[in-house]
Amino acid sequence: MPRVRRLFRHLSCDYWTVRRAFPAAVLDRIEARVATEEQRHDGEIRFAVEAALPLRDYFAGMTARDRAVQLFSRLRVWDTEHNAGVLIYVLLADRRVEIVADRGIHARVGTQAWETICGEMQRAFGAGRFEQGALLGIGAISDLIATHFPPRPDNPNELPDRPVVVR
């Protein structure tokens, strides 16, 4: 039965599901928070949200984690000077948050820290507090990056700050 429920969620979640959870004003505030937080460190944070997996990927057995890794590459989060890029990926149909971190920051932080942040974000999202959960996650990730990669004097913005709504 869980497979049938998951399929139904993937069929019923759409662009409007994303817009209800993350309206334009919330996406604007997420973008502003990413920009502000990135001034504190030499890393990059990307935020991506998707309603549901494409059906071909769903039927191929793709997980939220698989999709996050795929988007990490597609959005070029790995393409930072110090390998300190982090992707926050939200898959609404599966009610999952995945964090994919580049090797430079992941080697210093480890899996447990990312899983803890994912859990906190999922709890907020489960209570319908999408903006609060997103901002909480961005802040927690930024704290970790700042500990290991303090800002350089020139601290360039290497990746866009705007959240990505995957279609």
Side-chain angles (χ1 to χ4, degrees), residues 22 24 26-32 34 45-49 75 138 160-166:
F22 295 97
V26 170
L27 293 175
D28 291 342
R29 288 190 288 275
I30 290 170
E31 178 180 16
V34 168
I45 299 172
R46 294 295 321 258
F47 186 93
V49 60
L75 297 173
I138 291 165
D161 299 330
R162 184 75 184 160
V164 175
V165 177
V166 182

Side-chain angles (χ1 to χ4, degrees), residues 86-103:
V86 178
L87 171 68
I88 302 169
Y89 171 69
V90 179
L91 180 58
L92 292 173
D94 281 353
R95 300 178 181 122
R96 296 281 308 159
V97 176
E98 295 289 341
I99 295 174
V100 181
D102 204 352
R103 64 188 177 276

Side-chain angles (χ1 to χ4, degrees), residues 40-153:
R40 298 178 45 220
H41 53 71
D42 200 26
E44 295 291 323
I45 299 172
R46 294 295 321 258
F47 186 93
V49 60
E50 187 168 31
L53 293 173
L55 287 180
R56 71 182 177 283
D57 294 334
Y58 173 85
F59 285 114
M62 182 175 276
T63 65
R65 182 70 183 176
D66 297 334
R67 182 67 165 169
V69 170
Q70 185 181 71
L71 289 171
F72 181 85
S73 177
R74 184 186 314 164
L75 297 173
R76 300 179 61 96
V77 180
W78 53 267
D79 194 14
T80 63
E81 184 176 346
H82 298 289
N83 300 310
V86 178
L87 171 68
I88 302 169
Y89 171 69
V90 179
L91 180 58
L92 292 173
D94 281 353
R95 300 178 181 122
R96 296 281 308 159
V97 176
E98 295 289 341
I99 295 174
V100 181
D102 204 352
R103 64 188 177 276
I105 185 65
H106 182 71
R108 293 182 169 109
V109 172
T111 304
Q112 186 59 46
W114 307 126
E115 289 176 357
T116 299
I117 295 168
C118 285
E120 292 170 359
M121 291 178 71
Q122 285 175 180
R123 281 189 289 285
F125 293 168
R129 298 186 319 268
F130 292 96
E131 180 177 1
Q132 180 186 5
L135 299 179
L136 175 126
I138 291 165
I141 290 167
S142 192
D143 289 344
L144 292 172
I145 298 171
T147 299
H148 301 286
F149 293 93
R152 293 175 288 169

